[in-house]
Amino acid sequence: MSVQIKGLNKLLSDLEKQLGKANVQRISDYALKEGAKVFVRELKTQFQPFKDTGASIDEITISDPFTLNGVRTIKIYWHGPEGRYRIVHLNEWGTVKNPNPRGKGAIARAMRNAENAYKAAVMNAVRRGI
C-alpha cells in the first residue's frame, strides 16, 4: 500500500524540533503498530471464506518497527509451524494448474478495503502521541 502525503517531511521535522527525535520515533512506531493491527484484522476477514485448517490466518505475524532505507517500516508476514508462507503467494496469484483459486486476490482486497481505516488509525495514534 502506498500513500503520498504532501508536507509530511516538514511536519515531521517540526515535530522533531519540538519533541525530539526519540519521541517522534516512539510515536511513529506506535502509529505503525496500530495501523498494522487494522490491516491484519481486515486480512483475517478476507481469509475467512476459504480457510481450511485456519493456519494461514493463525500464522499472520506483525514485525516490530524497523528502519529500512531511512524510513520506519513494519512488516506483516506469515510465520509458524505450518509453514503457510510457502503457499500464501499461490492463493494470491494462482498457479498454472489452478489459475483462479478461491482466495485469489485476498491480500490485495484487504489492502484496498483497509486503506481508509489504516489512515485513520495512524492519524489517531499520532494525535494520541502528541
Side-chain angles (χ1 to χ4, degrees), residues 51-86:
K51 81 174 188 175
D52 185 22
T53 63
S56 293
I57 295 171
D58 295 338
E59 292 187 3
I60 296 173
T61 307
I62 301 172
S63 74
D64 290 329
F66 60 94
T67 303
L68 179 67
N69 298 327
V71 178
R72 292 301 281 178
T73 304
I74 199 162
K75 186 189 275 189
I76 298 170
Y77 60 100
W78 282 261
H79 179 74
E82 299 289 323
R84 301 308 281 190
Y85 69 92
R86 291 184 179 102

Side-chain angles (χ1 to χ4, degrees), residues 5 11 27 30-32 34-35 116-130:
I5 301 172
L11 173 67
I27 292 168
Y30 177 73
L32 282 172
E34 291 300 309
N116 292 332
Y118 172 84
K119 289 177 189 176
V122 168
M123 195 166 39
N124 288 337
V126 169
R127 282 185 183 144
R128 258 185 262 130
I130 294 175

Side-chain angles (χ1 to χ4, degrees), residues 35-48:
K37 288 177 188 176
V38 168
F39 175 68
V40 166
R41 203 172 314 122
E42 178 62 28
L43 189 61
K44 287 181 179 183
T45 302
Q46 292 297 324
F47 271 54
Q48 279 296 40

